[in-house]
Amino acid sequence: MNRRTAGRRAAAWLACLALAASAAGHANDAEGVKIGVLTDMAGVTSDATGKGSIEAARMAIEEMGGQVLGKPVTLVTGDHQHKPDIGASMARQWYDADGVDVIVDVPNSSVALAVQAIAREKKKLVIFSSPGTTALTQAQCSPYGVQWTYTTYALSRGTADAVVREGNRRWFILASDYAFGKQLAADTAAVVKANGGEVAGTVFHPLNASDFASFLLQAQASRAQIVAVANAGGDTIMAIKQAAEFGLGQGGQKLAAMLLLLTDVHSLGLAAAQSTYLTVPSYWDMNDGTRAFSKTFAERVGHPPTFLQAGVYGSVRHYLKAVQAAGTTDSKAVMDKMKELPIDDAFSLNARIRADGLVVRDMLLAQVKAPDQSRQPWDYYTVVRTIPGQALAWPLSESQCAQARP
């Protein structure tokens, strides 16, 4: 076979592949929309995501009538077990073989970064509700990825700024030893220092730790005014409980939870968590719309949604509206519509998707109520003030994301 013939055959083969890919895209449109909820069903964040994330996605689909473009919307679900290789493998299977159009949720930042790489390779959409690492919309951003609910940057700026301004300038940071915790620790330290404070020390613990004794002893020895807990889910609960057992409060030290979820407060109890400052993208008792949604959600799941679960609801709802407006499930066309359309679910305050895929939204500085202030089950927060979204997002001029540059 001469080179010219080989070249023609190769070109023909590539053309066939392109036609096959195009046909597959049209086939997906004909079959409807398939959404994959990749979540944590049994790990440290399962209460805050897990079955509640799945139900939130289902409620968004129901609200949109269960179909789009005249075809059904279906769900597939999976548990990544907090392992990036498992998460990446499931994403590849869903995109390649199972016809999934978009993956949502993805608690655990390390897993999210692995899934983002697969989505970028496959030119498929992924909308992150639960991971907070800024890398998703900074250095490792993707034209097919959206960071929907929050970032470590936003939470640290909201909470650390408020606590430092109260005069608490000496900090010690206890963080989880993976992408999320490391980024949250770094962002917290930056805010503390920017406000004239100092970080006396930072220690990292393994995911799903059971014994925080050595870490808390270091925190006590640091004589820091504030011990910042920069982790998530079960690790946050265990760290705060053991801090109380070690008597950090009696020694004059205070805790600042850099990520504290509604289910965490419930597990800790108001007596243990009271007066803690936190930043939240949403709260179930914000307005009539959030209260109505949360009533139905609680009937199905057993409690109001965390802001991660509310994020899954909002992201799926917005995605389906964009598919309807675009008239196709083509990833680029849908992403363009997602950025063009206003975000209007009840949990999203003044929210929009930027060029880097980050949803910039107003958030709430809240404080955990004392037991005698709570009026009903799950009435846990007093909203101190609304924080403008622009104050919680890095300027695009400082972005490391290639697609955000002019």
Side-chain angles (χ1 to χ4, degrees):
M1 182 187 299
N2 62 38
R3 290 184 179 178
R4 182 175 297 177
T5 301
R8 287 174 178 170
R9 290 189 177 182
W13 175 245
L14 290 173
C16 288
L17 287 177
L19 286 171
S22 176
H26 289 301
N28 283 346
D29 282 351
E31 294 167 4
V33 175
K34 187 174 286 188
I35 299 170
V37 183
L38 186 57
T39 190
D40 170 19
M41 295 301 295
V44 294
T45 56
S46 57
D47 284 347
T49 59
K51 69 177 183 179
S53 290
I54 296 168
E55 198 58 47
R58 185 173 289 117
M59 288 178 66
I61 293 169
E62 291 173 0
E63 187 174 312
M64 299 299 292
Q67 62 178 11
V68 66
L69 304 179
K71 300 294 181 181
V73 181
T74 57
L75 277 182
V76 297
T77 65
D79 183 356
H80 58 52
Q81 302 173 46
H82 288 277
K83 297 179 180 178
D85 58 337
I86 292 178
S89 177
M90 293 183 74
R92 190 179 295 276
Q93 168 72 24
W94 282 359
Y95 288 143
D96 282 348
D98 297 339
V100 168
D101 297 290
V102 61
I103 293 174
V104 299
D105 198 19
V106 203
N108 187 302
S109 291
S110 298
V111 177
L113 290 169
V115 171
Q116 174 108 307
I118 300 298
R120 187 188 300 111
E121 173 193 336
K122 301 297 180 183
K123 298 183 178 178
K124 289 284 193 174
L125 296 181
V126 56
I127 311 175
F128 300 106
S129 172
S130 297
T133 179
T134 57
L136 288 167
T137 40
Q138 282 271 34
Q140 298 185 52
C141 70
S142 165
Y144 304 100
V146 174
Q147 192 163 20
W148 184 268
T149 312
Y150 76 105
T151 64
T152 56
Y153 183 96
L155 297 189
S156 60
R157 287 181 70 85
T159 304
D161 184 76
V163 177
V164 174
R165 287 175 185 273
E166 286 192 336
N168 301 292
R169 300 193 174 276
R170 185 173 172 85
W171 287 54
F172 185 93
I173 301 174
L174 170 61
S176 51
D177 191 13
Y178 69 106
F180 167 78
K182 290 179 179 179
Q183 187 66 61
L184 186 53
D187 289 340
T188 300
V191 174
V192 170
K193 292 173 184 176
N195 283 280
E198 63 172 319
V199 178
T202 302
V203 293
F204 295 96
H205 67 81
L207 184 67
N208 204 14
S210 59
D211 185 1
F212 287 85
S214 64
F215 309 116
L216 293 170
L217 286 172
Q218 292 179 65
Q220 284 181 316
S222 74
R223 301 182 181 232
Q225 296 165 286
I226 299 293
V227 177
V229 181
N231 48 22
D235 284 333
T236 303
I237 295 167
M238 188 66 70
I240 293 176
K241 281 184 176 178
Q242 291 187 20
E245 294 168 4
F246 271 77
L248 264 67
Q250 288 88 334
Q253 292 178 305
K254 302 174 185 176
L255 294 179
M258 307 315 297
L259 172 61
L260 191 64
L261 295 158
L262 191 70
T263 45
D264 300 337
V265 175
H266 185 75
S267 295
L268 286 164
L270 291 179
Q274 63 182 308
S275 300
T276 301
Y277 278 108
L278 65 157
T279 300
V280 293
S282 66
Y283 179 44
W284 72 268
D285 199 18
M286 285 197 319
N287 54 53
D288 288 344
T290 61
R291 285 187 283 272
F293 176 91
S294 298
K295 182 177 183 296
T296 301
F297 184 92
E299 290 169 354
R300 300 184 183 190
V301 178
H303 60 76
T306 64
F307 66 70
L308 304 180
Q309 293 160 341
V312 173
Y313 159 74
S315 65
V316 170
R317 184 179 185 274
H318 191 67
Y319 168 78
L320 291 175
K321 290 185 70 174
V323 170
Q324 185 67 47
T328 178
T329 58
D330 175 77
S331 296
K332 184 182 183 306
V334 174
M335 178 61 81
D336 288 345
K337 280 297 179 184
M338 287 181 67
K339 291 178 177 177
E340 175 188 326
L341 293 173
I343 297 173
D344 63 354
D345 68 276
F347 290 92
S348 293
L349 301 174
N350 192 28
R352 61 183 178 84
I353 305 176
R354 293 197 315 192
D356 55 1
L358 175 67
V359 173
V360 179
R361 61 173 71 241
D362 293 353
M363 296 191 186
L364 306 173
L365 178 66
Q367 193 170 24
V368 178
K369 291 183 174 183
D372 61 359
Q373 296 174 319
S374 181
R375 298 163 295 141
Q376 59 180 311
W378 299 92
D379 175 29
Y380 293 161
Y381 299 160
T382 296
V383 175
V384 178
R385 66 174 181 268
T386 299
I387 309 172
Q390 288 300 112
L392 300 173
W394 53 91
L396 277 176
S397 60
E398 299 175 7
S399 177
Q400 301 170 35
C401 177
Q403 71 202 39
R405 297 175 193 139

